[in-house]
Amino acid sequence: MKIRLSFIFILTLAVFILLVLFKSLFENKIYVPEKINNKIENISIREFYSDNDLELKNLFNNNKFILINIWASWCLPCRQEHEHLIELSNANNLTIVGINYKDKKNNAQKFINELGNPYDIILKDVDGTKSIFLGAYGVPETFIIDNELNVLKKYIGPINKENIIEIKTVIK
Amino acid sequence: MKKKLIKFIFFLSILNIVNLNISFADTSKVDEISKNLRCLICQGQSIYDSNSDFALSVKTLISEKLALGNTDDDIYNFLKSKYGEWIVYEPEFNKYTLLLWILPLFLFIFGGFLIVRKVFISRF
């Protein structure tokens, strides 16, 4: 009787753990922090093609908002979110800035050639230190900032369809 | 000619030793600071312990800031402004962390009191 009870207990526990793990497979991989740093610094980042240093404030091109997307050719989730960035590239009022993170120039160029270029400007963060100035954790990561450099939204992980709808509402 | 060559090699080796010492000094300072920082994307590792891209970038940034003449506190404050208090292992003493600092002390005194009481009662 005692053995049977402990067997039932272990079996229930195992089923419970398996259920939790199974459910987590379908969980959303993106994290949207509720509390974000209000403002980012007007830092200079090197341009991908010309090697000129560009200040963030000078990237707005008469648009009210900038979407900063940190990406790399070696990052698989970046491929996953790329189609959504292409979709956003038609949006008004928005400059899309890509920051190529710790990548090889050739590979980054191949990535863009293969999947399309949603970016108005591409910058590069060769050693990852510029991303720290933005308060980023890695790739992919996406920020929406206004022309006062206030961070309106921050997405840690690949952005999805729902996020695109949200971004379009923010930049209206 | 031979003497000149020997002198030249000797000069180069001194330069190399000086250079090595400088880089060792820098590395040890970076290590010291990075041991006090939490790797935010790793499980229970410090920036010093981790080889993740995030940790490596933070280490590079620390050495860059040290080269610019920033102090330890400048670097901690900079990283706290970007990632919050959580990035440093030792939290600041403020109204939000009051309980964190006071509670262990309180438990220590309370536990001590219980032990003393138990010993006292059992003896007398």
Side-chain angles (χ1 to χ4, degrees):
Chain A
M1 186 64 186
K2 215 174 184 185
I3 293 168
R4 191 175 272 182
L5 264 178
S6 58
F7 175 73
I8 291 170
F9 175 73
I10 291 167
L11 189 73
T12 319
L13 194 71
V15 169
F16 176 73
I17 291 169
L18 278 176
L19 271 176
V20 170
L21 290 175
F22 186 71
K23 197 176 177 295
S24 69
L25 284 177
F26 303 99
E27 280 287 305
N28 201 347
K29 300 284 186 297
I30 191 159
Y31 172 59
V32 184
E34 283 175 22
K35 205 180 160 201
I36 41 182
N37 278 340
N38 292 331
K39 213 163 185 167
I40 54 173
E41 283 175 58
N42 184 28
I43 51 166
S44 296
I45 308 181
R46 197 146 288 182
E47 214 263 330
F48 184 77
Y49 296 107
S50 69
D51 276 351
N52 293 327
D53 285 339
L54 302 176
E55 279 187 10
L56 283 182
K57 268 211 163 173
N58 296 334
L59 304 178
F60 281 90
N61 292 339
N62 297 326
N63 287 322
K64 272 186 184 169
F65 304 97
I66 286 185
L67 180 146
I68 298 175
N69 175 248
I70 305 175
W71 64 282
S73 65
W74 47 263
C75 147
L76 266 179
C78 298
R79 287 183 169 266
Q80 197 184 314
E81 70 168 5
H82 206 76
E83 57 173 312
H84 301 303
L85 291 169
I86 298 273
E87 189 191 329
L88 263 182
S89 60
N90 301 320
N92 292 325
N93 251 341
L94 185 71
T95 303
I96 302 186
V97 176
I99 300 181
N100 184 235
Y101 180 85
K102 290 187 171 181
D103 208 353
K104 287 184 177 152
K105 197 168 185 175
N106 282 345
N107 295 346
Q109 191 56 59
K110 271 184 204 164
F111 181 94
I112 292 293
N113 292 344
E114 186 192 332
L115 300 171
N117 185 4
Y119 307 113
D120 297 300
I121 303 148
I122 305 179
L123 308 171
K124 61 179 174 185
D125 186 7
V126 182
D127 57 7
T129 51
K130 297 292 179 187
S131 302
I132 292 172
F133 277 87
L134 300 174
Y137 297 85
V139 279
E141 210 162 310
T142 305
F143 300 76
I144 306 288
I145 57 172
D146 67 10
N147 46 18
E148 295 294 318
L149 300 184
N150 295 307
V151 181
L152 307 176
K153 278 276 165 199
K154 183 174 179 178
Y155 302 96
I156 301 167
I159 52 170
N160 55 34
K161 262 188 178 174
E162 287 82 50
N163 302 140
I164 295 297
I165 296 166
E166 195 178 46
I167 291 169
K168 282 181 177 169
T169 321
V170 170
I171 61 169
K172 249 183 192 174
Chain B
M1 185 64 193
K2 230 180 185 179
K3 266 188 178 176
K4 270 188 182 175
L5 191 72
I6 291 169
K7 271 183 189 173
F8 182 67
I9 291 169
F10 181 69
F11 176 70
L12 274 184
S13 61
I14 285 177
L15 261 185
N16 201 29
I17 289 165
V18 171
N19 192 24
L20 271 176
N21 277 341
I22 290 168
S23 66
F24 275 136
D26 284 349
T27 315
S28 68
K29 192 71 188 156
V30 173
D31 290 352
E32 187 192 319
I33 295 174
S34 58
K35 276 178 187 168
N36 296 325
L37 295 168
R38 181 179 276 114
C39 176
L40 299 174
I41 58 162
C42 323
Q43 298 269 326
Q45 276 185 311
S46 68
I47 291 287
Y48 172 78
D49 295 322
S50 171
N51 275 322
S52 67
D53 273 314
F54 175 73
L56 294 175
S57 304
V58 173
K59 283 179 212 169
T60 311
L61 186 94
I62 293 170
S63 58
E64 278 178 17
K65 289 220 168 254
L66 285 172
L68 286 171
N70 284 209
T71 63
D72 300 19
D73 281 344
D74 291 339
I75 295 168
Y76 291 133
N77 288 335
F78 170 80
L79 289 168
K80 277 196 270 183
S81 75
K82 301 295 169 197
Y83 297 102
E85 194 73 30
W86 181 243
I87 196 158
V88 286
Y89 274 119
E90 196 169 290
E92 257 178 28
F93 189 78
N94 58 37
K95 64 176 177 180
Y96 301 109
T97 58
L98 187 72
L99 208 63
L100 193 71
W101 284 97
I102 297 290
L103 201 63
L105 194 69
F106 174 75
L107 288 176
F108 178 73
I109 293 169
F110 185 68
F113 170 73
L114 284 182
I115 291 167
V116 168
R117 221 185 89 178
K118 185 136 185 152
V119 170
F120 186 78
I121 288 169
S122 66
R123 273 199 185 171
F124 303 101

